[in-house]
Amino acid sequence: MTIWELDTPALLIDLDRMEANLERAARYAEGHGLRLRPHTKTHKSPYLGRRQVEHGAAGLTVAKVSEAEVMAADGLGDLLLAYPVWGDAKWSRLTEIAKTAPIAVALDSEEPASGLSRHAVRTGLTIGILAEVDLGMRRCGFPPGQRFRDFTRAVDRMPGLKLEGLMFYPGHVNLAAPNGEEELEAVAAGLAEALDGFRQDGLSTSVVSGGSTPTLYHSHRVPGTTEIRPGTYVFNDRSQVAMGACSWNDCAATIMTTVVSRPSPGSAVIDGGSKTFTSDPVRPQEPGFGSIVGMSAVRFEKMSEEHGVLDLGDHQARPPQIGERLRIVPNHVCVTVNMHSTAHGIRGERVERSWPVKGRGKLH
Ligand SMILES: Cc1ncc(COP(=O)(O)O)c(C=O)c1O
């Protein structure tokens, strides 16, 4: 089958590019003695989770219990659930997973830790815990200091839990920004302080989990890190190009669309809007909802749910015709993939294999 036989909009994955992304990250991690635990939130598919393990990943990361269920159901163990899981229903499902697949959880406060502890004791299990520390992201976790130390000591005493180390996420660090280097140095300094507290308290630092896609190849500059969790690196996207984390040739995922209307000489409408791409902007802020492959003068300027409106700009001399297909690199590939039930792996124009995005819409 060729890509021209697929109906649109379609999520296409360039397998050569994706494999190169996986290989490069695996080589980097191995070269720096780091364990690679990719975040599966980007591809949401056990098929690609397995490919990552084949390319040197020591385990996988998920955000939601339902994502962990999807991965575990396909025989993928050694999972890290990097999200503050809350509530009896979720703790109970998590301990069910732990009966068959090794799974650790990153937590940032005592309340969910004691809930999980209760469930672990009830089922006779020991669940590995990473304490999430905030190193500048300002999302979850206490910053290094007394509150963080109080939390880690409390978790260490809870039955059914085994504090294995700590987790941080440097998602705020953009090395293309003027203060990027400073932010990375602050992450390294913050981690050193947090690790110091762990050592003074006699706590385990056997797992120190960090990493992101924009900082992926700088992970060794945060001493003490033992494993990294990049997610977006598998496909990359327009945001990663804007942050200098990759080139256009590293972008493996495109959405193939069809031109369905040419309402004026300067515009074209494609069959994908916010229900195909989502409306995430590029960070740092750049206008437009994606980049049209081979048409850098064309701007993806407006969207409604099922319409994408292109400003043809300088491309008006040879405008795309109704029925013509355009491929678009999305702004933020992780949320775009979550809109599609099937991904098509391609080499050139040939569809080599298609797989279900089994984790899409798994929010619980
Ligand atoms: C906790 C955590 N770890 C790792 C990642 C992966 O980061 P990136 O999207 O930069 O690859 C994310 C992304 O949201 C995350 O939230």
Side-chain angles (χ1 to χ4, degrees):
M1 188 190 220
T2 70
I3 57 172
W4 310 115
E5 293 163 75
L6 295 171
D7 203 355
T8 64
L11 168 62
L12 307 184
I13 306 299
D14 183 314
L15 294 172
D16 290 334
R17 290 184 180 191
M18 183 195 80
E19 283 160 7
N21 293 339
L22 296 185
E23 201 46 46
R24 184 174 172 220
R27 271 203 311 271
Y28 167 80
E30 194 184 8
H32 288 277
L34 293 163
R35 285 158 57 93
L36 184 58
R37 185 182 289 284
H39 205 312
T40 60
K41 59 156 198 147
T42 305
H43 56 70
K44 286 183 159 271
S45 127
Y47 169 63
L48 290 188
R50 195 166 298 287
R51 300 298 306 273
Q52 287 172 313
V53 170
E54 285 163 10
H55 282 265
L60 298 172
T61 306
V62 295
K64 295 300 180 87
V65 177
S66 46
E67 291 177 341
E69 286 167 342
V70 164
M71 296 298 158
D74 262 56
L76 291 158
D78 203 340
L79 302 171
L80 169 65
L81 200 152
Y83 193 86
V85 187
W86 175 261
D88 278 307
K90 290 192 176 75
W91 296 323
S92 160
R93 284 163 50 213
L94 203 140
T95 46
E96 275 308 304
I97 298 169
K99 286 180 188 168
T100 57
I103 181 164
V105 185
L107 294 173
D108 73 340
S109 40
E110 280 183 52
E111 294 88 337
S114 59
L116 189 55
S117 160
R118 245 187 307 113
H119 280 260
V121 169
R122 192 177 304 156
T123 40
L125 292 164
T126 302
I127 308 270
I129 302 292
L130 301 184
E132 179 166 4
V133 62
D134 175 24
L135 300 183
M137 175 76 178
R138 304 289 177 260
R139 189 173 67 180
C140 283
F142 300 123
Q146 201 52 51
R147 282 183 81 192
F148 181 62
R149 283 180 71 174
D150 291 346
F151 160 61
T152 54
R153 283 190 292 233
V155 170
D156 194 49
R157 288 191 297 268
M158 288 183 192
L161 305 186
K162 182 173 185 297
L163 184 65
E164 294 176 339
L166 54 83
M167 178 187 99
F168 64 97
Y169 176 50
H172 60 295
V173 179
N174 170 8
L175 290 164
N179 61 345
E181 285 293 321
E182 251 167 65
E183 282 177 336
L184 190 65
E185 282 162 24
V187 167
L191 183 62
E193 187 184 343
L195 286 173
D196 220 36
F198 261 61
R199 289 190 195 106
Q200 283 176 38
D201 294 332
L203 303 177
S204 164
T205 54
S206 60
V207 182
V208 180
S209 182
S212 67
T213 295
T215 65
L216 170 54
Y217 297 104
H218 300 264
S219 302
H220 60 284
R221 296 172 58 196
V222 183
T225 304
T226 65
E227 71 168 33
I228 50 175
R229 308 180 311 278
T232 311
Y233 83 107
V234 60
F235 299 148
N236 290 307
D237 57 23
R238 188 168 173 241
S239 298
Q240 298 300 328
V241 173
M243 285 190 280
C246 67
S247 74
W248 289 114
N249 288 338
D250 302 319
C251 292
T254 51
I255 302 297
M256 184 168 68
T257 62
T258 302
V259 175
V260 291
S261 174
R262 286 289 320 285
S264 75
S267 68
V269 178
I270 53 171
D271 59 350
S274 59
K275 282 182 172 160
T276 297
F277 292 92
T278 80
S279 32
D280 267 22
V282 161
R283 289 190 195 89
Q285 201 71 36
E286 267 182 33
F289 293 104
S291 178
I292 294 92
V293 175
M295 294 185 179
S296 55
V298 176
R299 285 208 313 116
F300 188 169
E301 65 160 357
K302 254 187 358 186
M303 280 195 310
S304 37
E305 289 173 44
E306 304 294 6
H307 301 72
V309 181
L310 309 184
D311 175 346
L312 299 181
D314 294 344
H315 218 82
Q316 289 180 42
R318 278 193 301 117
Q321 304 300 313
I322 289 180
E324 197 170 324
R325 290 183 165 199
L326 302 180
R327 283 171 65 183
I328 296 172
V329 177
N331 280 356
H332 184 183
V333 70
C334 314
V335 289
T336 302
V337 167
N338 190 47
M339 307 304 265
H340 296 261
S341 8
T342 307
H344 304 283
I346 62 167
R347 291 195 206 269
E349 294 186 357
R350 192 167 52 84
V351 180
E352 188 171 293
R353 87 178 275 157
S354 303
W355 59 86
V357 185
K358 288 187 182 172
R360 77 168 291 220
K362 296 289 183 194
L363 304 177
H364 300 116

